[in-house]
Structures are given as structure tokens and as C-alpha cells.
Amino acid sequence: MPDRRMPYEHPRDGTPEAGSAPRRAPSMLHRLAAERATGAFTRAAGTLFLVDGEVVHAESGAATGLELLLTRCCPLSQADWEAALSRAAREGGVAQHLVACGLVPAGVLDLCRRTALYDAAFFVLATGGGAGRFRRGVRDRLGASRGLPPTAVERETARRLALLDRIWPDARVDVLPPVRTAPVGPTVPGRQLPILRLADGARTATDIARILGRPTFHLLVELRRLAAGGLVVPALPVGPEPHGRQPPPAPEHPPPQQASPAQPPQQETTAGGGPSAAGRRPGHEFPDPDVALLRRLRDALEAW
């Protein structure tokens, strides 16, 4: 089938601000949904796979892949996964093969598939990924038939962006390797201890998430909380940004100054010395946040 490509549509107002709904992809995705199109919508950060206008799978170099989620929560070896991929290349349908062979329960597969889809779609839709293309007829290896409306994926992406900004408004820790500011103490919650131990200024959030077998977005939530508490800061970049992404600009309207030990580093830097994704250099100085308020917000979100 010929590879027919549709030009990517850019908005008039340019790069989306942190915490806002994705603005670049919706016009094309809405049209594809209306057409009940099947194919692959690709941007620099990854790909959304559509079947009959619904998003059935997503892949991104910044996200934790489905195979890592499955091998962590199921007795599925890497060899089993590779065998399923090889069979699917001939017969199609990794998902059906894993369930039919009893390697993964259907419910677990559906949960991990949905988690991986939202995790990858977050990076495809939320970052300044440049031009996009739609290749008709291209199918993903998973072979999933049930999908989600693009509007639902967009809403979830916007919700996640807003959540991250409410926790801590400096997005540089998402893309620059985090580094501990102090030794790991006994008061750190258990879910954050493995992250702090791996925050060595060399591993990115994606690297840490894959080592721990966690969705990358969930890892970003904990990193923002650690940054709000002054326990991690983004390391200075020494080369091109991971996965080709530029560090998002620091917010222009930080929270009111409060007494707290937490404060992002006050340096100006960009990936490889180039401009940031929005044409501004990150490195604005931030007053100390109200850590107590941030922790109460975190507790409320967890309870919710």
C-alpha cells in the first residue's frame, strides 16, 4: 500500500505552554477520527497507531514500553516476548498470542496496554515534537483491536500536564538527568527511595523508569515531588538532549516566595547550547515554594 502522508497542521500560537491542553495534534487527530482512518500518526517523540479512527497503541522513545511493564508484573521472559514478536511478524497479533499461550492473563494485558498507551501518548502529544505525518494502513505489532477516542487521549494528556505543574512548575527535571542534593534520609517515602538512589546526574527520568519497570509519567510525578522538597535538581546538560527533546522553559510566573530549603538551581542552560523548545532559555530564578502546601496537595491527589 502506498505511503500517503498528510502534512502536519501547526497552530497560530506556536508551542503549547506547560500545563495546557495539547494544541498541535488535535486538528489532524479529530479529522482522522471522523474519517475512521487506520494508520500511524508520527511525530519526533513517537507514534500513535489508529484503527478505525481510535488510538489502539502508542510508542515513544521517552516512555516505558509495554514489554517492560509485562515482564515486571507477569512471569513473562524477554525470550517469550521476542518469540511473540517473531510469530506476530508472520501471523499478526502479539496480544492474542500472549493470551492464547497463557503467558499473560487477558486482564493484565489490557491494563498494561492501556498504561503503556497513555504513557507514550503523553510524550507524543505534550512535547514540541515538530512536524507530524500520517501513514495510512500501517498497523502496530501488538494487534490490538479496541482503542480509545483521540479526544480521550488528549484530555488525559492535558490532565497529566496540569498535575505535573501543580506539583512543581519547573519541567527541566523531566528531561535533564536528576541529581540528589543530599544523602538519602530515613524520612523519604519508600516509593521514592529507589528513584533517589538512581538519581546520579547521569540517568534521565526515562532511564530510571525503565530500570524500575515503572511508567515514565509516574516516575515524573515522583521526581517533581522530590524537586519540590529540594531533594533533587536537574543536572547540567553536557550534550544533546535525550530522545531529541529540548528542556521545557521555566515558568514565567513561579509561586510566591515561602521559607523552604527547596529551590531549583539558578543557572541558564539549554541542550547543546541551543535555544529551548519555546525559544527561551531555561534558568529563571525561582523563589522557594510552599512545601507544606505542595505536600498537602500531593496527599489530596493520592487520596483522590
Side-chain angles (χ1 to χ4, degrees):
M1 181 174 293
D3 182 3
R4 293 182 291 172
R5 296 174 181 262
M6 299 167 60
Y8 195 81
E9 296 182 354
H10 292 267
R12 295 179 180 178
D13 54 353
T15 303
E17 294 295 328
S20 63
R23 297 178 185 173
R24 294 196 171 193
S27 59
M28 175 180 283
L29 290 180
H30 294 173
R31 186 168 70 251
L32 294 172
E35 294 174 1
R36 298 182 62 83
T38 295
F41 173 75
T42 301
R43 298 180 72 196
T47 300
L48 303 182
F49 293 92
L50 280 71
V51 172
D52 293 334
E54 294 191 331
V55 181
V56 296
H57 185 55
E59 296 178 354
S60 171
T64 301
L66 176 63
E67 66 276 17
L68 288 178
L69 299 178
L70 288 175
T71 53
R72 182 168 179 82
C73 65
C74 298
L76 178 70
S77 67
Q78 187 64 32
D80 292 334
W81 175 259
E82 295 295 337
L85 288 180
S86 177
R87 179 168 178 173
R90 301 189 305 270
E91 304 173 12
V94 174
Q96 292 86 339
H97 174 72
L98 293 175
V99 174
C101 294
L103 296 172
V104 179
V108 173
L109 176 63
D110 188 61
L111 177 61
C112 290
R113 182 181 69 86
R114 187 73 60 91
T115 301
L117 188 158
Y118 278 128
D119 200 39
F122 171 80
F123 294 98
V124 176
L125 296 178
T127 60
R133 294 291 184 271
F134 184 70
R135 296 173 291 161
R136 294 187 181 274
V138 176
R139 298 293 296 264
D140 65 289
R141 299 175 300 175
L142 189 63
S145 56
R146 293 184 300 165
L148 297 167
T151 52
V153 179
E154 293 163 7
R155 283 196 302 269
E156 177 60 16
T157 297
R159 186 193 71 82
R160 293 183 175 205
L161 283 167
L163 172 61
L164 289 178
D165 283 344
R166 287 197 302 269
I167 296 172
W168 183 242
D170 187 352
R172 288 174 295 176
V173 74
D174 297 353
V175 293
L176 299 176
V179 60
R180 294 188 303 272
T181 59
V184 178
T187 60
V188 177
R191 66 180 180 277
Q192 294 177 347
L193 285 174
I195 300 173
L196 275 180
R197 294 191 180 106
L198 294 171
D200 57 0
R203 299 182 178 95
T204 64
T206 297
D207 297 331
I208 296 174
R210 288 174 176 169
I211 291 172
L212 299 177
R214 299 184 187 179
T216 304
F217 172 76
H218 296 179
L219 202 287
L220 295 183
V221 169
E222 297 302 336
L223 275 179
R224 293 277 189 119
R225 289 170 176 166
L226 290 168
L231 297 177
V232 299
V233 294
L236 289 172
V238 294
E241 286 305 312
H243 317 299
R245 295 183 293 131
Q246 299 290 336
E252 295 190 6
H253 302 289
Q257 185 170 1
Q258 301 288 339
S260 168
Q263 186 176 2
Q266 300 175 357
Q267 66 251 2
E268 284 200 4
T269 181
T270 56
S276 67
R280 300 192 302 269
R281 293 178 63 85
H284 297 282
E285 296 185 1
F286 292 92
D288 293 339
D290 186 343
V291 175
L293 175 61
L294 291 170
R295 287 173 176 165
R296 288 198 299 272
L297 174 62
R298 178 198 66 190
D299 295 339
L301 288 170
E302 289 177 344
W304 178 76

